Amino acid sequence: MRRIKLSFLIVILSVCGMYAQRSGTDSQTEGRNKSDYNRFEVSKQLDIFNALIKEVEMFYVDTVDIQKTMRRGIDAMLKGLDPYTEYISEDEMGQLKFITTGEYGGIGAIIRSREGGTVIVEPYEGMPAAVAGLKAGDVIAAIDTIDTSGLPSDRVSELLKGVPNTKATVKVKRPGVKKLLKFDIVRKQVIVNQVSHYGVYGDKTGYICLTGFTDKSAQEIKSAFEDLKKNHQIESLILDLRDNGGGVLEGAVQIVNLFVPKGKEVLSMKGKVSQWDRTYRTSNDPIDTLIPIAVLINGATASASEIVSGALQDMDRAVLVGQRSFGKGLVQTTRNLPYEGKLKVTTNKYYIPSGRCIQQLDYSHRGADGSVAAIPDSLTSVFYTENGRPVRDGGGIRPDFEMEEEQTPAMLYYLYADRDYILFDYITEWVNKHKTIPPAEKFHYSDEDYESFKKYMIEKNFEYDRQSEKALNTLKEIARFEGFLEDDTELFASLEEKLKPDPERDMARYGKEIRRLISSEIVKRYYYQRGEVQQNLKDDETLQKALDVLKDNELYTKTLDPSPGRNQEFVSETKHAR
């Protein structure tokens, strides 16, 4: 009986082996067939596209700009994949370099088109434009011998940029000044610092605000931290990554490396091409592994910022305070194209130390209308930090201390956008009347000034849309279609009157938020980006929460390690390190 069973088992194993071998062969054949089909399909579609372009160029009733037509087609094709895959032409390579290095040759100023020309919106602190005396609000009239009044801003930007140490003569029309002002400016290698402000807040807590990630961001963080520790004897640190949309991935790894031991895994990348899969580990000795850290995040914290905040959370190296982050768990790689262009293409997903991917939107599964849905919380999975704390994938990074997000009134969106430059011109006029202001931390925008602002906006006929009014109009159309409008005319009239835009009423209702915006814009004119950050930190509830957590050793250590046996040991180590 035993021999029969053994013989039967051998037969079964043999059959299974033959099936597995055949199945493997079938799978390989299927893979080759699919690959051959894809290559044929690519060749076929390229032939169709090539013929289509020729036919349109030859027979379309009007002259066709082939370059613009092709660019629209390329952009539409890539946009259908995800928002991050894009074609970069030879003319746009300078912008790619600026994103990765924060450097370019020029005068160092942000410019923008407006009716009547191109206006300087913001000179960078310490850069040639600011040093020469150019100010926000100046309208560029000429560069060297070229009249720029009718040129688009991208062309003006090209004229301002150039090889360092070359000279540019810039003429501007300054509000309140009758004649043109002339400035001789020597271009230089403009370096835009990613650490826009750092200082000490609360009880010996260092604060560093990082606005982006370049190949120099880690060195900027290191320099700021060492200054705070050496000259201000800080005992804890806040790293502000709010509204930081990311940048160079390697910069994120280097920043994590500053605060965790050598040899720790920061992230791994996985994609279609397995040869490109890679694991990033800390490769240098850190500068501090014990100082308590809080990282501030919000809904605009994305990409490289999420690598830093997520990795420090997974390693139980920092507490996170704020709102859930954006949720970009994708990595882009640049590929060379003909005629000096490049393709920035999504090639990988990244996974932070706990093993989770925080990508929120699934671009591979779109709705019939092309929409992309977020992964619901119910479908996310639980992962664990080094100390065993549960964390989830999908939907970004969730902070340890979640703060309620402030609702921005619709009116503020239109003030932010400022398409008619009404707010911008008001700030320019205000600055022209005030040659100096107190330091950013002491500046106060008065009630009298706000009253004059309200009058100014009404005189300029400031208008803005209200979504509630649009929704009411839609509801009225539905009610008319369904035959209910005549029965409820008084109700609709009452709602319509209530929802009618009233700038004077809304400027009183949202005075706190509007004054905060005006104050930050004023301070930026005098103290640049660092002043703007300082102004915005006043009455910052998220910053205050981080300060409170760092001040409470017991709360901080219990958050990072809820296990009862290890908290006292961690507190002792921290006190000893101080």
Side-chain angles (χ1 to χ4, degrees):
M1 185 69 179
R2 189 175 175 184
R3 184 177 299 173
I4 294 174
K5 286 184 178 181
L6 182 59
S7 301
F8 179 74
L9 180 61
I10 291 172
V11 171
I12 292 294
L13 290 175
S14 299
V15 171
C16 288
M18 291 171 61
Y19 176 80
Q21 185 177 4
R22 180 178 296 175
S23 178
T25 303
D26 290 345
S27 177
Q28 292 171 5
T29 303
E30 182 182 348
R32 283 197 300 270
N33 290 340
K34 187 175 182 180
S35 177
D36 291 341
Y37 172 78
N38 285 341
R39 281 196 291 269
F40 166 75
E41 196 62 29
V42 167
S43 179
K44 171 185 171 182
Q45 297 303 327
L46 285 175
D47 285 344
I48 294 171
F49 194 72
N50 184 46
L52 182 65
I53 287 292
K54 288 180 179 179
E55 294 293 316
V56 168
E57 194 278 329
M58 290 177 63
F59 299 114
Y60 185 73
V61 63
D62 295 320
T63 302
V64 177
D65 187 324
I66 293 298
Q67 186 176 2
K68 289 183 178 179
T69 301
M70 286 292 295
R71 185 58 191 258
R72 283 198 304 270
I74 291 170
D75 291 343
M77 174 183 67
L78 298 181
K79 187 179 179 181
L81 301 176
D82 63 45
Y84 316 111
T85 298
E86 58 183 334
Y87 168 59
I88 303 168
S89 67
E90 181 181 6
D91 296 337
E92 298 166 328
M93 292 304 295
Q95 182 63 22
L96 179 63
K97 180 183 177 184
F98 175 63
I99 291 171
T100 56
T101 67
E103 296 182 10
Y104 67 95
I107 68 170
I110 299 174
I111 62 174
R112 202 165 79 184
S113 290
R114 69 174 296 178
E115 187 177 355
T118 299
V119 64
I120 293 177
V121 175
E122 180 184 348
Y124 292 132
E125 184 175 12
M127 292 296 109
V131 172
L134 289 175
K135 296 181 179 181
D138 289 346
V139 178
I140 300 172
I143 300 172
D144 295 326
T145 60
I146 300 175
D147 182 350
T148 59
S149 56
L151 297 179
S153 60
D154 55 351
R155 175 57 180 149
V156 176
S157 177
E158 291 175 9
L159 294 171
L160 291 174
K161 292 177 181 178
V163 178
N165 298 321
T166 58
K167 189 177 78 171
T169 300
V170 180
K171 294 180 181 179
V172 301
K173 176 71 175 75
R174 179 165 293 172
V177 179
K178 291 184 179 180
K179 63 178 183 179
L180 292 178
L181 300 178
K182 177 183 174 183
F183 297 88
D184 290 327
I185 305 175
V186 178
R187 298 181 181 91
K188 65 179 290 187
Q189 191 72 8
V190 176
I191 301 175
V192 180
N193 291 329
Q194 304 304 306
V195 172
S196 56
H197 166 64
Y198 71 92
V200 180
Y201 290 80
D203 184 15
K204 291 189 176 182
T205 297
Y207 169 90
I208 301 175
C209 179
L210 187 71
T211 58
F213 286 80
T214 67
D215 54 3
K216 302 174 186 64
S217 295
Q219 184 56 49
E220 290 185 47
I221 293 282
K222 181 180 179 183
S223 298
F225 178 79
E226 289 176 340
D227 179 46
L228 290 168
K229 199 166 186 182
K230 179 180 178 181
N231 298 316
H232 300 278
Q233 292 77 49
I234 62 168
E235 297 179 353
S236 55
L237 176 67
I238 294 174
L239 178 60
D240 194 343
L241 297 180
R242 291 176 294 180
D243 302 317
N244 185 324
V248 178
L249 180 147
E250 286 79 3
V253 177
Q254 292 165 8
I255 289 173
V256 173
N257 196 167
L258 296 175
F259 303 107
V260 302
K262 184 177 180 179
K264 300 275 284 185
E265 181 178 321
V266 178
L267 81 153
S268 59
M269 300 193 318
K270 297 177 182 178
K272 181 187 291 184
V273 183
S274 59
Q275 293 89 332
W276 293 354
D277 292 352
R278 184 176 175 184
T279 298
Y280 288 84
R281 298 180 181 275
T282 53
S283 56
N284 299 314
D285 292 325
I287 57 176
D288 194 316
T289 60
L290 293 176
I291 191 168
I293 301 174
V295 181
L296 310 186
I297 62 174
N298 65 6
T301 300
S303 194
S305 295
E306 293 176 293
I307 292 173
V308 172
S309 53
L312 292 177
Q313 184 182 55
D314 283 359
M315 296 178 187
D316 299 299
R317 182 63 186 90
V319 295
L320 272 53
V321 184
Q323 293 91 35
R324 185 190 296 195
S325 66
F326 180 79
K328 180 178 182 287
L330 305 175
V331 179
Q332 285 71 48
T333 305
T334 57
R335 303 287 297 167
N336 292 329
L337 294 175
Y339 301 100
E340 305 302 321
K342 285 186 182 292
L343 171 66
K344 181 163 73 74
V345 56
T346 301
T347 53
N348 302 83
K349 291 182 179 179
Y350 70 78
Y351 301 81
I352 48 181
S354 64
R356 56 180 170 148
C357 176
I358 51 88
Q359 176 64 24
Q360 181 174 19
L361 299 177
D362 183 2
Y363 294 105
S364 62
H365 296 89
R366 294 178 179 267
D369 60 350
S371 60
V372 182
I375 300 171
D377 290 344
S378 59
L379 295 182
T380 60
S381 301
V382 176
F383 293 77
Y384 295 93
T385 69
E386 288 187 4
N387 290 339
R389 296 187 297 146
V391 289
R392 287 187 170 273
D393 64 354
I397 305 292
R398 296 164 176 81
D400 303 299
F401 297 91
E402 190 153 4
M403 305 293 293
E404 186 176 348
E405 187 173 3
E406 289 188 19
Q407 295 298 316
T408 303
M411 187 178 198
L412 247 67
Y413 284 111
Y414 290 91
L415 286 172
Y416 274 123
D418 198 17
R419 292 171 186 163
D420 296 322
Y421 285 83
I422 297 176
L423 176 61
F424 185 85
D425 290 340
Y426 168 80
I427 301 295
T428 300
E429 289 186 20
W430 194 99
V431 169
N432 287 339
K433 295 175 184 176
H434 301 77
K435 299 305 177 185
T436 61
I437 63 171
E441 58 269 20
K442 296 181 179 180
F443 173 74
H444 174 70
Y445 182 68
S446 69
D447 294 338
E448 293 77 12
D449 281 333
Y450 188 60
E451 288 302 317
S452 68
F453 168 76
K454 290 194 289 186
K455 292 178 182 177
Y456 179 91
M457 299 298 279
I458 292 170
E459 290 172 0
K460 296 293 183 180
N461 296 317
F462 173 66
E463 295 180 353
Y464 60 99
D465 292 334
R466 289 171 64 102
Q467 295 302 313
S468 53
E469 186 182 24
K470 291 182 177 179
L472 177 62
N473 291 333
T474 301
L475 180 60
K476 284 173 65 178
E477 290 300 318
I478 294 173
R480 181 180 289 109
F481 175 77
E482 295 183 346
F484 297 120
L485 186 61
E486 293 182 2
D487 298 332
D488 295 309
T489 51
E490 291 184 8
L491 175 63
F492 278 108
S494 174
L495 280 171
E496 195 167 35
E497 182 62 29
K498 190 173 183 179
L499 296 177
K500 187 177 180 180
D502 184 342
E504 188 170 5
R505 177 197 64 198
D506 290 342
M507 281 189 286
R509 178 182 294 173
Y510 305 121
K512 179 182 176 182
E513 293 86 351
I514 296 172
R515 289 176 66 154
R516 187 184 300 164
L517 172 61
I518 294 172
S519 298
S520 66
E521 289 298 315
I522 288 174
V523 171
K524 184 165 66 173
R525 297 289 183 99
Y526 296 89
Y527 300 111
Y528 305 95
Q529 281 192 359
R530 59 183 172 84
E532 181 185 20
V533 174
Q534 286 176 289
Q535 176 64 34
N536 289 333
L537 288 176
K538 295 176 182 178
D539 303 321
D540 188 323
E541 295 181 1
T542 302
L543 173 67
Q544 188 56 52
K545 180 65 177 180
L547 290 170
D548 293 341
V549 173
L550 291 171
K551 188 177 180 180
D552 188 336
N553 275 335
E554 184 177 359
L555 175 61
Y556 178 81
T557 54
K558 279 186 177 180
T559 301
L560 293 178
D561 189 356
S563 58
R566 297 168 64 180
N567 288 332
Q568 189 59 44
E569 180 184 350
F570 187 89
V571 172
S572 299
E573 286 181 359
T574 304
K575 288 181 177 178
H576 179 71
R578 292 180 181 179

